[in-house]
Amino acid sequence: GCPDVDSDGDGLVDRLDECPDLKGTAKNKGCPRKGAVKLAGDRIEFKESIYFAVNKDVIQPRSFPLLNSIATVIRAHPEILKVRVEGHTDAQGKLDFNMSLSDRRAKAVVTSLVERGVAADRLVAEGFGPTRPVADNATRDGRTLNRRVELHVIQTAEPKPEEE
């Protein structure tokens, strides 16, 4: 077989490294202490936000490094067959507009990840608008938390046994 690769040089091979593009520690499963993108069960977690132009599906350039990291994590885990990119909005404005906006934003993230080398057939976009809030829409902080993109692993392959 092919030798395992350690892209970030932290001593953990990419298939065992939850943050294959960032130097980390074995204790943190290959991730630095905070702010990293990591595979956590059936989710791809990241602390930063993906930022968009107001009321549009245009991703702001300040989110490009985060998208690079997300793409690297997905590419480093070939056992992940399908990821659902979810778009969410707050409850301000009309429901139809928010449903459409969340869907277009999820599709924009999918396009961005494909441009970064993730196979298109591994990604699916879905917009949920304001239907799945994580915080109170009556407060500014709550609305900020509800405007988000989440990535959920929805299909995986069984890992292949190690060849000896």
Side-chain angles (χ1 to χ4, degrees):
C2 299
D4 280 332
V5 176
D6 179 13
S7 297
D8 58 15
D10 64 4
L12 283 171
V13 295
D14 287 356
R15 71 182 167 78
L16 300 176
D17 194 331
E18 290 185 356
C19 301
D21 65 332
L22 299 169
K23 264 191 187 195
T25 63
K27 178 181 166 192
N28 289 332
K29 298 181 182 177
C31 295
R33 286 187 175 234
K34 61 180 182 173
V37 175
K38 68 178 184 173
L39 178 61
D42 65 347
R43 295 174 60 114
I44 297 171
E45 294 184 347
F46 44 95
K47 299 228 188 295
E48 295 175 62
S49 293
I50 298 174
Y51 293 97
F52 296 88
V54 176
N55 288 330
K56 296 187 178 177
D57 58 6
V58 177
I59 299 171
Q60 293 183 6
R62 65 179 164 158
S63 294
F64 294 169
L66 173 59
L67 290 162
N68 292 341
S69 295
I70 292 169
T72 299
V73 168
I74 295 170
R75 287 192 324 264
H77 289 277
E79 75 279 8
I80 297 173
L81 299 179
K82 189 80 68 178
V83 174
R84 182 177 58 233
V85 178
E86 298 182 356
H88 300 271
T89 67
D90 62 30
Q92 291 191 313
K94 295 193 182 248
L95 179 61
D96 288 349
F97 177 80
N98 284 332
M99 294 300 289
S100 171
L101 179 63
S102 64
D103 189 59
R104 288 182 286 122
R105 285 181 170 179
K107 287 176 179 168
V109 172
V110 165
T111 298
S112 180
L113 293 173
V114 169
E115 289 169 353
R116 288 163 170 78
V118 177
D121 64 356
R122 296 177 72 192
L123 302 167
V124 61
E126 191 167 355
F128 291 96
T131 64
R132 295 185 177 182
V134 294
D136 186 353
N137 272 302
T139 69
R140 182 178 179 173
D141 288 344
R143 289 188 298 273
T144 297
L145 291 171
N146 288 333
R147 291 188 301 268
R148 68 196 187 282
V149 172
E150 295 181 357
L151 281 80
H152 295 267
V153 177
I154 58 173
Q155 186 181 2
T156 58
E158 290 297 316
K160 292 182 180 170
E162 296 292 318
E163 290 188 30
E164 301 196 18

